[in-house]
Amino acid sequence: MKSKFNIIKIPLILINIILSIYIVISVNKLNVIPTKYYILGIILLFLINLLAVILLVLKNIVPKILGVMLSIIFILVSIIGLKYINRTNEFLDTSFNNNAVEISTYNLIVLKTSKYTNINDIENLKLGYLNNSKETLTKLKDTITTENIEYEDIFDLYDDLINKKISSILIDESYLDVIKDERKDIDNKIKVIYSFKEETIIENKNNKEDKIVRPINIYISGSDSRSNNIQNKSRSDVNMIVSINPNTNEILLTSIPRDYYVQVHGQTGLKDKLTHSGIYGLDVSSSTIEDLFNIKIDYSIKLGFNAVVEVVDLVNGIDIYSDRTFNSYHIKGWIVKEGMNHFNGKQALAYSRERYAYPTGDRHRIQNQQQVLEAVLKRILSDKSILLKYEDLLSSLGNLYRTDIPKEIITAYVKEQLENGDKWTFKTQWVNGKGASLNTHTSPKYRRYVMIPNEEDVKNASEKIKNIIND
């Protein structure tokens, strides 16, 4: 019996030591465990290995058996732990700075009642396109020949198709949501007979401060696009700046109405609705916000609305105070009661999208959106068990988000919060304006509803953001 223990004790000791070293290296790479806990972990690993060695080298058979059992248990636990750590590291490597590519999907569209079913059916017929799609139009030349008609206004383009003045239109899919704002029955009138994609490579912004817990502004863009691919360009229906100062433990949420009449970054001529800036890409929306408030946006994140459902359900729901009782527009038969409500994911999304229940419409909706985001952040920051599940939190979002936030920033903030467990103070603000009917960049020939910014609101909001970041 002793000879058998002598045969296995050396391999067991070596395996334990190798696994311990691997665990230390892997946890260090993960970089979310506070230093004091990391050191305690190393000490604990040393003590377990020392105890196993002592038990295995003793002459008495009982300690040897205990040593073997301890070693086997340690090996099994280590393998499970390393699997989790390595999976988390792999996930973090692929889930941040994941906006390397932005996609434009172009659709060839005809009337739903037409006989055309594929691209060849419109050979030699009239095709309409927007003047900013000239280069894209050339991609069809190798496939078909058409009589091409250029349009300046998106609604002229659509209306001529409906009135059968042209047989088809070539259009970026993100513009269809713009048309749908004014032509509610668009889905009943058109069909897509051909699609192709164009990919734009987004420059990676490497920042030497990416590993530092520091004050930052994050721009959140919420997309309610018809596309399920968050990499697609789409309108920015939710626009929020999250200003975070870890030195003062303050978070300021600043919301901007989607219809704000602004100069879209990089575009000349007429101003446009802020939501339409998303048609040109996340970077353009972010730069437009920078121009509006004269601030620096450090990072951006684009979320699909379904991300709200996933996150709220993962944190086991949120508690929200509603200032009125109303029947939800988005969940038929569901009533939100005045006072405190506990929302699951679908209910939180419906609440954050609600505007018909309020006299001020979109102005009140952005307050609801701030409530939902604040409630989620408070749940995550106050519950360390949820904070440690950030891998599940992010993997559950899947393709519902993309961002230029590097993993080093996330792990640094998680590490800081786990170590200090500080309570955060939340502040909210939103900018207002005056409704008007004006020509826009996407519709230069027709007046559309916009909101002219209140310059004093914008100035005051800008100052508050700067004060949070610079404190």
Side-chain angles (χ1 to χ4, degrees), residues 16-17 19-25 27 38-52 74 77-78:
N16 286 350
I17 293 173
L19 283 174
S20 297
I21 294 172
Y22 192 18
I23 288 172
V24 170
I25 293 172
V27 171
Y38 180 60
I39 293 173
L40 285 174
I42 293 175
I43 294 173
L44 180 61
L45 287 174
F46 173 77
L47 292 176
I48 291 173
N49 278 276
L50 179 62
L51 178 60
F74 177 75
V77 172
S78 296

Side-chain angles (χ1 to χ4, degrees), residues 102 233-236 274-282 285 302:
E102 194 159 50
K233 291 180 179 178
S234 59
R235 293 181 308 168
S236 185
L274 176 58
T275 183
H276 293 168
S277 66
I279 293 171
Y280 306 98
L282 181 59
S285 291
K302 182 179 180 181

Side-chain angles (χ1 to χ4, degrees), residues 322-339:
S322 173
D323 59 6
R324 67 176 55 207
T325 297
F326 63 88
N327 292 309
S328 172
Y329 178 81
H330 298 282
I331 301 179
K332 302 303 179 186
W334 178 54
I335 298 175
V336 176
K337 297 181 180 180
E338 181 178 351

Side-chain angles (χ1 to χ4, degrees), residues 13 78 85 89 101 206 240 397:
I13 291 171
S78 296
I85 293 170
N89 267 319
V101 175
N206 291 318
M240 194 180 299
L397 302 183

